[in-house]
Amino acid sequence: MSKSSTFFIGLDVHKETTDVAYCVDNSRDEPVFHGTIPTNIRSINKLIKKYKGLATHLCLVYEAGPCGFWLYRHLVKHGIECWVVAPALIPKAPGDKVKTDRHDAMALARMARAGLIHSIHVPNADDEAVRDLIRCREDAMLDCRQARQRLKLFLLRNGPPCSGRQAWNEAYKRHLADIHFLEPAKKLSFQHYTNIVTERYERLQHLEQELQIIAQDWSWYSLVQYLTVLRGIRFLSAITLVAELGMQQQRQPVDKPHLDHKKQTLKNHSTLTCVDNQRKSELLTSSVPITGLVDT
């Protein structure tokens, strides 16, 4: 069998299994369903080895999701072209109600061949590591907030509320230190809730200090410093904006050399139009000055 120019391989990646379909460039044939393979390095390497002998070029496509970018980095490391596609940017026909793993893999291969999808910007390992640390800090902040709410609800059930005091300032902490319960069980419950609040607050403070130190060696640290000059943007807001949203030019479609002859049907998406979840929307609305820097 003679080698074809390009094989477009669609992958529907899940935690345990991956459905695989492929189609050939410059052909109108429907994509062929290869089958289901385990989601591990060994199975991916066997798949690449099989199709490398049938085509001069391989292009693997999969949707961005909870499995992250380890597959992308593994393929790029071995010289294989890989596209990571944003699910929200995949065109869908109005009457297409089918949603199966096999159908998704075949659709990815078909649309990649037609030039209807493009790869998003994939952050490098350092950028992703900083983003993970930022999200870890946000999780710690939520944990601390929940612990404080549980303590306040416990106090509300067991006595008149503390009025006229702003929560969790020094005066409120002194108020907590003056609270005593006669019942041993309530005394233990109060001590438990108080210790959890203290522990989680200290953990949050520790993460913020570590983030300050690690950010100094980050490649985007200069941009973070520039953003902190703007009114209303402190360090944590600035580094979160940079890590979550990235630079606008990084969100533009990635040009593919072997698709230059195809008609480009996709419009460029700015950073704002790529905001696809509530978390990023909150970042933009809570940091109004930054929106002036983004070209809409």
Side-chain angles (χ1 to χ4, degrees):
M1 181 179 178
S2 60
K3 286 189 175 182
S4 301
S5 58
T6 302
F7 263 36
F8 292 95
I9 303 176
L11 306 175
D12 192 55
V13 183
H14 297 279
K15 178 183 177 181
E16 300 293 339
T17 60
T18 298
D19 287 75
V20 182
Y22 68 91
C23 61
V24 183
D25 192 18
N26 299 325
S27 173
R28 295 185 178 181
D29 296 337
E30 279 294 304
V32 179
F33 182 66
H34 169 85
T36 304
I37 63 175
T39 304
N40 54 49
I41 297 295
R42 181 179 179 183
S43 300
I44 296 297
N45 289 341
K46 289 177 63 177
L47 182 70
I48 295 172
K49 183 177 180 181
K50 175 179 179 179
Y51 287 108
K52 252 189 174 181
L54 302 178
T56 57
H57 183 79
L58 294 181
C59 179
L60 280 74
V61 186
Y62 74 96
E63 293 184 11
C67 293
F69 302 114
W70 66 268
L71 179 57
Y72 169 87
R73 296 193 179 102
H74 174 73
L75 294 172
V76 171
K77 180 180 178 181
H78 289 79
I80 304 297
E81 183 177 6
C82 180
W83 300 359
V84 181
V85 183
L89 301 181
I90 297 178
K92 294 182 180 179
D96 188 5
K97 303 296 183 179
V98 180
K99 180 63 178 175
T100 63
D101 297 342
R102 173 173 179 165
H103 177 270
D104 290 346
M106 297 176 67
L108 285 173
R110 183 188 306 109
M111 287 185 285
R113 179 180 62 183
L116 297 177
I117 55 178
H118 64 271
S119 179
I120 63 172
H121 167 72
V122 177
N124 59 40
D126 292 336
D127 292 348
E128 189 176 20
V130 172
R131 187 181 65 182
D132 288 340
L133 182 58
I134 292 172
R135 292 180 178 179
C136 179
R137 180 253 167 196
E138 291 176 352
D139 291 338
M141 182 177 61
L142 292 177
D143 292 341
C144 183
R145 183 183 304 169
Q146 291 175 355
R148 288 176 171 179
Q149 289 174 345
R150 295 190 186 103
L151 176 57
K152 292 177 69 175
L153 290 175
F154 172 79
L155 295 176
L156 184 62
R157 292 193 305 266
N158 292 277
C162 177
S163 59
R165 298 179 187 269
Q166 184 179 359
W168 309 112
N169 56 11
E170 293 300 324
Y172 188 78
K173 293 178 181 178
R174 289 193 295 269
H175 168 71
L176 292 178
D178 294 335
I179 295 178
H180 299 284
F181 292 98
L182 298 178
E183 300 86 352
K186 284 190 177 181
K187 185 182 298 184
L188 288 174
S189 298
F190 176 68
Q191 189 64 44
H192 176 74
Y193 282 126
T194 305
N195 290 342
I196 291 179
V197 170
T198 303
E199 176 189 349
R200 293 187 178 181
Y201 179 75
E202 291 177 352
R203 186 187 309 166
L204 176 62
Q205 294 296 107
H206 176 73
L207 283 171
E208 291 179 354
Q209 294 174 3
E210 293 294 331
L211 186 58
Q212 290 268 8
I213 296 173
I214 291 178
Q216 296 177 7
D217 297 327
W218 191 30
S219 59
W220 295 105
Y221 183 62
S222 58
L223 177 59
V224 174
Q225 289 180 309
Y226 292 147
L227 292 180
T228 56
V229 178
L230 298 175
R231 179 183 177 184
I233 299 183
R234 295 182 296 177
F235 169 76
L236 291 175
S237 298
I239 194 172
T240 304
L241 282 168
V242 175
E244 291 288 353
L245 299 181
M247 298 299 293
Q248 177 180 355
Q249 53 265 36
Q250 291 180 339
R251 305 294 299 191
Q252 301 295 337
V254 180
D255 295 331
K256 303 300 176 182
H258 61 278
L259 290 179
D260 289 341
H261 65 284
K262 298 184 181 292
K263 181 180 180 181
Q264 298 296 326
T265 60
L266 295 173
K267 297 179 181 178
N268 290 343
H269 292 266
S270 67
T271 305
L272 285 178
T273 58
C274 287
V275 175
D276 53 1
N277 58 46
Q278 184 179 1
R279 177 68 189 98
K280 295 179 182 179
S281 299
E282 292 174 353
L283 284 175
L284 289 176
T285 54
S286 63
S287 302
V288 177
I290 191 61
T291 58
L293 301 179
V294 181
D295 183 16
T296 58

